[in-house]
Amino acid sequence: MPLQIRRVFFDAEFNDVVQCVCESYAAPVNRLWRLFRHDPSPAGFIELRNRLIREFRADPSACWLKVVDTGIGDKVVGVALWNTYTENPYPVFKEHPVEAEWWPEGEPREFANHLLDQFVGDRYKKMARPHMCVKEADRLNLEAFIEATDLGKLTYEACGFVYAGTNYLESAKRNASPEWRRLERDMQYV
């Protein structure tokens, strides 16, 4: 299994990138990923792929990498998104930094926004300074921050990263409606 790391440049590469991410977060289920991929249908896959392409094209700090297995036709077996910030990427705190437009309007979107506000909002506290990925960070004398799943945490610690804390997302809401409680159960935030 000869593996190669390659940079992603072209929109057409995102089908394989998104497929790899979806498969890797399916088992065990990654609750945070379910927040970013609400619709598991083929139409939801296309929406996600197109959204990631738009975000990639709009963000000069973004660098998508893919790991391909050259022994089986360059199958994408791993991906990563790295951002390089030479200036503070979060200079002004935003109460509501991201709108979950990929969720249906109404209470489902309100639920998603509630969780996203916590997840993205935490970056304003922890990552409000220039930073980026490992080797380049060393070269530029910048800090490197990684948001990882429980499974990925061990890998990053083995590479010298230091655990800085867990970002728990709280889904509780006073006087939650039956729909809100259903979303909590479906997303496994209870």
Side-chain angles (χ1 to χ4, degrees), residues 115-179:
L115 296 174
L116 281 171
D117 288 349
Q118 295 171 67
F119 178 69
V120 178
D122 196 51
R123 294 175 181 174
Y124 287 88
K125 291 181 263 180
K126 293 181 179 174
M127 300 181 195
R129 52 194 173 269
H131 61 277
M132 65 153 321
C133 68
V134 188
K135 286 184 181 178
E136 190 67 7
D138 289 344
R139 188 178 73 74
L140 295 172
N141 197 30
L142 296 175
E143 291 182 273
F145 296 94
I146 294 178
E147 296 168 331
T149 62
D150 289 339
L151 293 173
K153 176 182 171 285
L154 297 173
T155 302
Y156 293 121
E157 286 176 335
C159 293
F161 282 89
V162 177
Y163 174 72
T166 300
N167 186 1
Y168 293 103
L169 304 183
E170 178 58 55
S171 64
K173 178 181 176 183
R174 187 182 305 246
N175 301 318
S177 71
E179 171 72 357

Side-chain angles (χ1 to χ4, degrees), residues 74-92:
D74 288 354
K75 177 175 174 46
V76 176
V77 296
V79 297
L81 171 63
W82 291 93
N83 297 85
T84 301
Y85 303 109
T86 55
E87 295 180 3
N88 179 359
Y90 308 106
V92 178

